[in-house]
């Protein structure tokens, strides 16, 4: 396998493990251990870690090594600021696009959600992530979709990290907020879609701040 492909493979594998919290915040990443685990030489591993640092998934400290980045208030605030700028606009634009009916199936699935177990809670959180991803992709701006992929990875990481701290009340509120966003898009109401998205993001940030 070419070195470039090995670097990309290492990047994707490590990023996925970080996003899913298999590699915990502030965990030390030993290059030799990673080489042995992935069967890849040191150079592509080192390049992958540098790429992960650029995208804020790890922190490389001179003379100390590489550590998984922390999920702290500063990172969360920055992620939500980016989300508000892009997702509110995406919701508004989506409500003006033809073929908005494709969101109805997602809406029906979300309306039937009943948070009774941890597995249902996980499904709800991942489903919510997919709703936001679908709205951004739906507007058909490939530049935005490509740029937003990194943000979406951080969103999913934060969701999974706080999974066990979400109570049923907040899960039910989140489900209703998502339904409100989808209904506004399906109805072709840009102002309502943007307002519903802004309200949802504000509530989500407030809920996470209480968990820290």
């Amino acid at each position: 396998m070419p070195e470039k492909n090995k670097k990309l493979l290492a990047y994707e594998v490590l990023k996925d493990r970080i996003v899913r919290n298999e590699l915990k915040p502030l965990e030390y990443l030993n290059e030799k251990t990673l080489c042995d685990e992935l069967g890849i030489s040191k150079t592509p591993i080192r390049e992958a870690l540098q790429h992960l640092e650029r995208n804020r998934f790890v922190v490389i400290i001179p003379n100390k090594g590489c550590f998984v980045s922390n999920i702290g208030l500063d990172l969360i605030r920055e992620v939500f600021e980016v989300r508000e700028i892009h997702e509110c606009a995406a919701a508004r634009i989506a409500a003006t696009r033809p073929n908005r009916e494709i969101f109805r199936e997602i809406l029906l699935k979300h309306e039937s959600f009943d948070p009774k177990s941890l597995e249902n809670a996980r499904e709800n959180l991942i489903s919510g992530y997919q709703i936001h991803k679908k709205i951004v992709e739906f507007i058909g701006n490939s530049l935005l979709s490509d740029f937003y992929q990194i943000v979406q990875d951080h969103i999913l990481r934060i969701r999974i990290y706080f999974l066990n701290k979400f109570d049923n009340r907040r899960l039910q509120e989140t489900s209703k907020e998502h339904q409100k966003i989808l209904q506004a898009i399906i109805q072709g109401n840009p102002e309502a879609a943007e307002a519903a998205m802004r309200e949802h993001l504000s509530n989500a940030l407030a809920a996470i701040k209480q968990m820290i």
Side-chain angles (χ1 to χ4, degrees):
M1 183 186 297
E3 290 293 293
K4 181 179 179 180
N5 292 345
K6 290 180 181 179
K7 171 204 164 183
L8 293 175
L9 172 64
Y11 173 84
E12 291 297 334
V13 169
L14 293 174
K15 184 192 71 174
D16 185 67
R17 291 174 64 186
I18 292 170
V19 167
R20 297 190 176 279
N21 284 265
E22 294 171 10
L23 294 172
K24 306 296 184 184
L26 305 180
E27 183 173 339
Y28 173 65
L29 300 179
N30 183 281
E31 284 188 11
K32 185 178 184 308
T33 301
L34 295 176
C35 290
D36 293 340
E37 287 179 355
L38 300 179
I40 297 175
S41 62
K42 184 175 290 187
T43 297
I45 288 290
R46 187 167 293 169
E47 290 176 348
L49 292 175
Q50 291 170 348
H51 191 178
L52 287 165
E53 183 183 41
R54 288 195 295 273
N55 290 338
R56 305 283 296 279
F57 292 107
V58 306
V59 176
I60 299 175
I61 303 175
N63 302 319
K64 289 189 177 181
C66 182
F67 301 83
V68 177
S69 62
N70 191 26
I71 299 180
L73 190 56
D74 285 343
L75 174 65
I76 293 169
R77 175 183 53 77
E78 290 182 0
V79 167
F80 271 84
E81 285 177 353
V82 173
R83 294 187 69 183
E84 183 175 4
I85 292 169
H86 294 282
E87 291 186 28
C88 291
R92 167 181 281 275
I93 295 170
T96 68
R97 292 285 197 260
N99 303 321
R100 298 185 304 273
E101 283 294 316
I102 67 168
F103 287 101
R104 191 170 297 279
E105 182 178 350
I106 302 174
L107 175 61
L108 292 173
K109 181 179 179 182
H110 224 66
E111 286 175 337
S112 64
F113 169 74
D114 184 18
K116 293 179 180 177
S117 69
L118 181 61
E119 187 57 36
N120 282 339
R122 179 181 292 274
E123 181 181 344
N124 178 259
L125 288 172
I126 302 304
S127 174
Y129 159 81
Q130 291 170 342
I131 287 172
H132 291 266
K133 185 172 184 289
K134 184 70 174 179
I135 291 171
V136 171
E137 291 176 347
F138 178 70
I139 66 176
N141 187 315
S142 59
L143 286 175
L144 175 59
S145 294
D146 290 344
F147 161 78
Y148 207 66
Q149 183 57 56
I150 297 171
V151 179
Q152 289 170 337
D153 288 331
H154 281 290
I155 293 168
L156 184 57
R157 183 187 180 210
I158 292 169
R159 281 178 179 270
I160 294 173
Y161 180 75
F162 286 103
L163 174 64
N164 295 331
K165 297 183 181 180
F166 278 88
D167 58 25
N168 280 354
R169 179 186 61 81
R170 180 55 200 155
L171 288 172
Q172 291 171 339
E173 290 173 351
T174 299
S175 183
K176 290 178 181 177
E177 290 164 9
H178 284 141
Q179 291 173 40
K180 189 175 179 181
I181 295 167
L182 292 170
Q183 287 165 350
I185 292 174
I186 293 168
Q187 293 166 2
N189 189 330
E191 291 77 16
E194 180 178 358
M197 180 66 81
R198 196 176 304 280
E199 179 184 24
H200 166 60
L201 293 176
S202 177
N203 291 342
L205 179 58
I208 288 176
K209 283 182 176 179
Q210 290 180 346
M211 299 176 195
I212 298 177

